[in-house]
Amino acid sequence: MSTLIARTRRSFATHWYAWAMVLPVVVVLAVLVGYPLGRGVYLSFTDANEANIGRVIGDFEVPASYSFVGLDNYWHILSGQEGSFYPRLGWTLAWTASCVFLHYTIGLGLALMLNRRLKGRSVYRVLLILPWAVPAFVAAFAWKLMYNTNNGVLNALLGKVGVGPVDWLGDPFVQKLSVIAVNTWLGVPFMMVAILGGLQSIPRELYEAAEMDGASPWQRFRNVTLPGLRPVSSTIVLLGTIWTFNMFPIIFLVIGQAGGTESEILVTYAYRLAFQGVRDYAGSATYGIVILSLLLVFSVFYRGMLKRQEAAQ
Amino acid sequence: MTTPQAPDRAATPRRAGTTGASAAPRRPRGREERSRAASLALHSALIAATVIALFPIVFIVLVSIRGENGWTHPMEMEGFTLSNYTHVLGGTEFLTWMLNSVVIAGGTMLVGVLISASAGYALSRMRFPGHAPLMWTFLVCQMFPVAVLIVPLYNILGALGLLDSYGGLIITYCSVSVPFCAWMLKGYFDTIPTEIDESGRVDGLSPFGTFWRLVVPLARPGLAVTAFYTFLTAWGEVAFATQFMSSETKYTLAVGLQTFVGPHRAEWGLMTASSVLIMVPAALLFFFAQRHLVAGLTAGGTKG
């Protein structure tokens, strides 16, 4: 016991400076993230909704009357009783996978092209980055207008080449392709710039050495470029996956807030649970915790995979 | 600016090729020399990509200058007028929303960067118990779906009387931006040589003094980039703003624009004009910041 105290004291003496410097952030995180998170977890174990949450109306204080229901909410969602969880999870996964795949491959392709010596390189670069400067909500509205069935520019263009109008935002399947297109348009520039940075940090000597050894362009790409990009790639793919999984504005604003469509992802659905109709705070919180858990499991798995890959090299 | 990427490296001609040319009569074709057909393909692909990248932006600009009903005939190129702009600026709350967005995003930016700079420095330079969990926490904070925090924050802000106020939304956005700032700044501080700190310590500065007097001035570009990124995140946020700001004079741009294209009637003319007004300053800022943005962002991750 006394050794423990002594050790703590010694540790404090060495590290108090570092701790003091991270303290503000820790406090902010504890208050702004930790406490709401704890409360969110708690709400997910109750049947709280708009009617029983307790609030102040004028001078009257309505006490909270919701009760603890244990794992009921989780069981309700995960057993499939609620009905929409698994189809929505499937679509959310498909949405994330296709968006991140398209972001990464198109971004990589453009970065490889821009990394070559060519005329007008910096002009291409600036123009290709521009979508990144467009806030997501502006992009969502712009595309929604382009997708307009009767007056949209996309259908007008299709009409010119003799193709009939497409119901971009009506048909469930086309609607999904439409939102993926918007998000891809919006997300590629970030990946492109990040990969371009990664490409330029790969030492030239490696390519020259590979060329001496007679490596073909494809072999150079596989054995020099891809491994050299790994540090950048692993970060942007992880962040991109998390961001896309939780991508709120595109789905919410392009599809509209009426809801009830198949193209809603888990996040927008959970949001609607909390703020539409009888506000189901408990159900929404439960969805939130489930989403967070999925992402946590994914990150742990993903990081573990990267570590194993590094170890195998 | 000590970013790891030298942006124009690929543009410098390869030394090996030129010396090889003087030594050998027949120079082998270098990696970056292409046949005419390959060049053509490369340029066509890039032009196609550029057209796709620019199309929605150009389209919005064109629609915005064609009056109230210009959007119904997207292919026509006539009837140009600035009436949408005068209407947006004179007849709607657009400027109020713009101001609200600036105040809220600016507030978030200030608080976020101020609080997280010292933490980023400590994480970059010192190894202490709690180091790894804290980095991990920052990453996890990126994963919070809007649905986890929004209900508790809504209730808490309600209890504190902070709904529909600047402060409430700034506090909310700090929950997103502080971990992200700290993460990015840690990466940036990692690119500043530790010799600078050591010389500061030799001169008798405390760790905090070293940070404040030597490292912060050097890290100014990194701080600026982080600030800019935080600003943009808050600027474009939709979910929290939509629920937390209930009176029209407190709307941010992201909320206000939704009122133009409601379910019952859509005033696309106003919407497109507002979009252009929002995009222009953002695009200009972006033009200057983009190169550094990614350097800061990826540095945070790769060395985490």
Side-chain angles (χ1 to χ4, degrees):
Chain A
M1 189 64 199
S2 63
T3 54
L4 186 71
I5 293 175
R7 207 184 298 157
T8 314
R9 189 172 296 158
R10 209 169 331 118
S11 167
F12 185 77
T14 348
H15 299 297
W16 74 272
Y17 225 108
W19 284 336
M21 287 185 85
V22 298
L23 187 68
V25 165
V26 172
V27 169
V28 168
L29 287 185
V31 174
L32 289 182
V33 180
Y35 177 72
L37 176 64
R39 197 162 149 80
V41 172
Y42 173 71
L43 281 177
S44 74
F45 292 119
T46 68
D47 60 359
N49 60 32
E50 191 179 15
N52 60 20
I53 189 96
R55 67 214 124 134
V56 180
I57 306 168
D59 292 339
F60 296 98
E61 206 183 317
V62 183
S65 58
Y66 56 85
S67 52
F68 193 77
V69 295
L71 289 170
D72 276 12
N73 291 320
Y74 290 94
W75 174 243
H76 189 64
I77 291 173
L78 296 177
S79 67
Q81 269 179 44
E82 191 237 17
S84 75
F85 176 72
Y86 286 104
R88 225 175 275 292
L89 175 66
W91 157 235
T92 309
L93 293 176
W95 149 265
T96 309
S98 45
C99 284
V100 174
F101 175 79
L102 289 171
H103 285 163
Y104 188 80
T105 48
I106 299 176
L108 178 64
L110 292 175
L112 286 173
M113 289 194 257
L114 287 180
N115 198 37
R116 287 157 168 266
R117 219 157 17 116
L118 86 160
K119 273 204 194 96
R121 204 170 74 104
S122 50
V123 177
Y124 282 128
R125 192 170 179 277
V126 166
L127 294 180
L128 285 170
I129 284 171
L130 269 182
W132 192 13
V134 178
F137 65 91
V138 171
F141 291 131
W143 279 82
K144 199 174 176 183
L145 178 55
M146 298 195 342
Y147 282 142
N148 193 302
T149 310
N150 298 320
N151 299 312
V153 69
L154 292 182
N155 279 343
L157 285 174
L158 285 182
K160 291 258 179 211
V161 291
V163 181
V166 176
D167 192 6
W168 296 103
L169 297 177
D171 178 75
F173 182 70
V174 182
Q175 193 179 42
K176 287 177 181 172
L177 295 182
S178 304
V179 283
I180 290 176
V182 181
N183 196 38
T184 303
W185 179 80
L186 196 62
V188 161
F190 165 72
M191 289 281 190
M192 182 190 82
V193 180
I195 295 171
L196 198 53
L199 284 177
Q200 288 172 356
S201 68
I202 301 173
R204 299 245 112 190
E205 294 74 40
L206 288 180
Y207 286 108
E208 276 154 22
E211 236 168 307
M212 293 283 188
D213 296 343
S216 69
W218 170 246
Q219 282 171 327
R220 290 199 295 268
F221 176 72
R222 275 211 50 192
N223 299 319
V224 181
T225 310
L226 281 186
L229 282 179
R230 186 167 293 148
V232 171
S233 300
S234 58
T235 308
I236 56 179
V237 168
L238 179 61
L239 280 179
T241 306
I242 294 171
W243 288 342
T244 310
F245 202 89
N246 285 334
M247 174 51 90
F248 182 85
I250 299 288
I251 304 268
F252 185 71
L253 297 176
V254 173
I255 295 178
Q257 303 161 32
T261 58
E262 284 176 34
S263 318
E264 263 189 312
I265 54 173
L266 291 171
V267 172
T268 53
Y269 181 73
Y271 182 82
R272 233 164 27 81
L273 274 184
F275 292 103
Q276 262 183 14
V278 177
R279 300 179 165 197
D280 182 3
Y281 293 144
S284 172
T286 313
Y287 257 92
I289 303 291
V290 170
I291 295 168
L292 182 59
S293 318
L294 288 170
L295 286 173
L296 270 175
V297 169
F298 168 77
S299 314
V300 171
F301 188 77
Y302 182 78
R303 291 212 145 187
M305 194 183 73
L306 290 180
K307 284 233 173 76
R308 274 199 304 283
Q309 267 182 9
E310 259 163 53
Q313 295 246 318
Chain B
M1 163 118 190
T2 47
T3 47
Q5 288 90 9
D8 293 316
R9 213 201 230 145
T12 51
R14 282 167 63 235
R15 177 90 48 80
T18 45
T19 51
S22 59
R26 217 180 100 255
R27 187 157 59 108
R29 179 180 280 168
R31 195 167 60 87
E32 300 203 10
E33 286 162 58
R34 289 177 297 270
S35 66
R36 190 162 283 256
S39 267
L40 197 68
L42 187 61
H43 278 282
S44 327
L46 282 172
I47 289 171
T50 310
V51 168
I52 296 175
L54 293 185
F55 184 79
I57 301 173
V58 174
F59 170 68
I60 285 293
V61 174
L62 283 179
V63 170
S64 74
I65 52 175
R66 292 199 36 233
E68 200 182 342
N69 293 315
W71 66 274
T72 54
H73 302 98
M75 302 292 276
E76 279 168 29
M77 286 294 146
E78 55 188 24
F80 294 111
T81 159
L82 288 178
S83 64
N84 284 324
Y85 289 88
T86 49
H87 191 173
V88 161
L89 294 172
T92 69
E93 296 279 343
F94 180 80
L95 288 176
T96 316
W97 300 334
M98 181 82 119
L99 184 72
N100 291 341
S101 280
V102 169
V103 168
I104 290 165
T108 310
M109 173 185 95
L110 269 183
V111 176
V113 174
L114 277 182
I115 293 181
S116 41
S118 71
Y121 179 74
L123 283 166
S124 165
R125 292 299 200 265
M126 306 171 194
R127 287 289 168 273
F128 54 93
H131 183 278
L134 201 54
M135 282 305 284
W136 182 236
T137 309
F138 291 158
L139 182 65
V140 174
C141 284
Q142 293 291 304
M143 293 176 210
F144 280 105
V146 77
V148 178
L149 297 183
I150 193 163
V151 172
L153 279 170
Y154 186 80
N155 295 339
I156 293 166
L157 292 183
L160 296 173
L162 284 174
L163 284 177
D164 204 22
S165 74
Y166 293 150
L169 210 52
I170 291 176
I171 289 177
T172 306
Y173 289 165
C174 282
S175 69
V176 184
S177 65
V178 164
F180 194 70
C181 286
W183 160 284
M184 263 178 75
L185 285 173
K186 187 240 173 222
Y188 195 82
F189 291 136
D190 282 345
T191 65
I192 296 174
T194 47
E195 288 80 36
I196 289 169
D197 304 55
E198 280 153 22
S199 70
R201 300 303 297 278
V202 170
D203 291 345
L205 285 171
S206 67
F208 188 78
T210 316
F211 164 67
W212 190 247
R213 309 261 291 270
L214 297 179
V215 179
V216 164
L218 278 175
R220 226 179 270 145
L223 291 168
V225 167
T226 314
F228 175 65
Y229 207 93
T230 317
F231 188 91
L232 272 193
T233 320
W235 181 259
E237 205 279 335
V238 177
F240 288 111
T242 306
Q243 288 310 325
F244 290 5
M245 304 311 251
S246 45
S247 53
E248 201 177 345
T249 51
K250 288 285 170 57
Y251 284 176
T252 62
L253 287 168
V255 188
L257 251 60
Q258 292 178 48
T259 63
F260 289 161
V261 284
H264 305 301
R265 70 197 178 119
E267 302 194 59
W268 287 108
L270 298 183
M271 207 289 302
T272 48
S274 321
S275 298
V276 174
L277 291 173
I278 296 167
M279 278 191 293
V280 168
L284 283 179
L285 268 176
F286 227 81
F287 179 70
F288 295 108
Q290 39 92 7
R291 183 168 291 168
H292 310 302
L293 273 177
V294 172
L297 186 66
T298 47
T302 49
K303 291 168 197 132

